[in-house]
Amino acid sequence: MKFLHEYRQRPGIERIAREIVRITTRHWTIMEVCGGQTHAIVKYGLQQFLPSQIRLVHGPGCPVCVTPLDIIDQAIAIAARPDVIFCTFGDMLRVPGSEGDLLGVRARGGDVRMVYSPLHALDIARRNPNRKVVFFAVGFETTAPANAMAAFLAHEQGLNNFFLLVSQFLVPPAIAAISSAADTRIDGYLAAGHVCAVTGFESYQQLADTFRVPIVVTGFEPLDILQGILMCVRQLERDKYQVQNQYARAVEPAGNPHAQHMLQQVFEVSSQTWRGVGNIPASGLRLRAAYSVLNAAPLFDEKRSCPDDTRGCISGEIMLGKRTPPDCPHFGESCQPQHPLGAPMVSSEGACAAYYRYRAQVITSDATDRATHEH
């Protein structure tokens, strides 16, 4: 299969890994921003191919994990209304709020439906003109254009029963927040290829210059990630801080202008609270005034809960690269996919879910690391 099989071939992976070993002379900490990259790293045991000086840490790029608790609570309250059809991606169904989750609402008779796109939710609204249909618009720059398209079409077609509960995030402000923290230990970043396919990466150069960190736009297959690490380490070893594009087969420097136009037509930049992290200025999106009639939040005027209840979940520290899932005392014990304390254990891009699902590979990787140190 073109663009997939060849990026999983062990000879190529081992060749890149040998080059990383050859050029590495110091300790470097590299953050993969996207949860999809985290899953690939853990699934394929990529850490075991790297020298002990290279440490990979996980970033905040899981859209489900960073959705704040008060928005989850609001979604649950709205979904419980008898006049509402609540539409969401499957990942959001089991994300715990203060008291329960959306799956629990459905079990109690709420009309909560899993959809695969916002246009699917829009179609449900057309077919149910006497019900209010609310779509849970979550995610990063990758989902924002499609959510914007749904809002645009609803507005153009005069649908008065379609609404969006918006929880959208922007990646570059999060990188800036992590890099500017006093206790940051991140030497370089693997930027999310699919995000940059929409936004491009020209704006990332300012981040690289300001914080003196290399940023490599990277794909999601094993060879992609190791090539991204190699490009990052080369820069670090040469004291360079540039933006490079490993994912050139999918990402153009300026991104997708059509998607950007749709996004900017419907949304505007706003401050955003990241679950477990806190508020980051200019890191979110909200509906522009022309589309405010589609905003589900003020329409339903549900009481919001206190966003401070983490129930011992250390997701914020994990998403900032300060700790890993096995560092959490609840991991695999009181926090499991069937009974999660936080979103990272149930999201398909969550770091805890990756470590739990592929724990055999993690154990192999840890054992390899120990063997390397012993020699």
Side-chain angles (χ1 to χ4, degrees), residues 269-311:
V269 174
S270 66
S271 64
Q272 178 63 281
T273 298
W274 299 55
R275 188 171 187 172
V277 177
N279 187 271
I280 301 177
S283 68
L285 296 172
R286 64 186 176 197
L287 290 166
R288 290 187 180 276
Y291 293 88
S292 60
V293 68
L294 303 177
N295 187 1
L299 178 66
F300 292 96
D301 194 28
E302 297 290 348
K303 181 181 179 182
R304 296 192 172 199
S305 62
C306 174
D308 296 325
D309 178 19
T310 61
R311 297 182 296 174

Side-chain angles (χ1 to χ4, degrees), residues 68-318:
L69 186 64
D70 63 332
I71 297 294
I72 299 294
D73 285 347
Q74 191 169 27
I76 291 171
I78 292 172
R81 294 174 59 110
D83 58 340
V84 165
I85 299 173
F86 194 87
C87 299
T88 180
F89 296 132
D91 275 6
M92 300 303 299
L93 289 173
R94 299 191 61 245
V95 177
S98 297
E99 298 177 358
D101 54 31
L102 287 168
L103 203 59
V105 174
R106 188 162 75 179
R108 294 190 293 274
D111 196 345
V112 179
R113 304 186 189 184
M114 187 178 72
V115 296
Y116 293 98
S117 80
L119 298 183
H120 184 189
L122 195 66
D123 184 57
I124 292 173
R126 291 193 194 97
R127 295 171 183 269
N128 296 271
N130 298 321
R131 304 278 304 279
K132 296 180 175 69
V133 176
V134 178
F135 175 68
F136 203 176
V138 303
F140 292 96
E141 294 94 328
T142 48
T143 60
N147 293 341
M149 175 61 78
F152 174 82
L153 292 175
H155 192 265
E156 287 292 299
Q157 296 169 9
L159 279 179
N160 59 9
N161 68 326
F162 180 75
F163 306 94
L164 299 173
L165 182 61
V166 178
S167 184
Q168 294 275 183
F169 301 85
L170 300 175
V171 170
I175 293 178
I178 293 170
S179 297
S180 60
D183 58 348
T184 188
R185 296 175 296 172
I186 311 302
D187 299 304
Y189 292 92
L190 305 183
H194 54 355
V195 169
C196 294
V198 173
T199 66
F201 55 86
E202 294 171 334
S203 63
Y204 281 62
Q205 188 59 54
Q206 183 178 358
L207 291 171
D209 293 338
T210 301
F211 300 105
R212 296 176 63 81
V213 290
I215 300 175
V216 180
V217 180
T218 305
F220 302 89
E221 295 300 325
L223 193 58
D224 287 325
I225 292 171
L226 288 180
Q227 284 180 330
I229 294 169
L230 174 61
M231 295 164 75
C232 198
V233 172
R234 275 179 177 155
Q235 289 196 54
L236 289 167
E237 291 285 343
R238 295 170 182 172
D239 203 25
K240 301 290 186 183
Y241 312 102
Q242 299 174 338
V243 178
Q244 292 182 300
N245 184 18
Q246 181 278 330
Y247 206 34
R249 68 184 185 279
V251 177
E252 297 289 338
N256 184 331
H258 302 292
Q260 293 169 29
H261 175 73
M262 178 55 65
L263 189 157
Q264 292 165 4
Q265 183 170 343
V266 173
F267 292 117
E268 61 184 5
V269 174
S270 66
S271 64
Q272 178 63 281
T273 298
W274 299 55
R275 188 171 187 172
V277 177
N279 187 271
I280 301 177
S283 68
L285 296 172
R286 64 186 176 197
L287 290 166
R288 290 187 180 276
Y291 293 88
S292 60
V293 68
L294 303 177
N295 187 1
L299 178 66
F300 292 96
D301 194 28
E302 297 290 348
K303 181 181 179 182
R304 296 192 172 199
S305 62
C306 174
D308 296 325
D309 178 19
T310 61
R311 297 182 296 174
C313 176
I314 63 168
S315 61
E317 294 177 84
I318 292 172

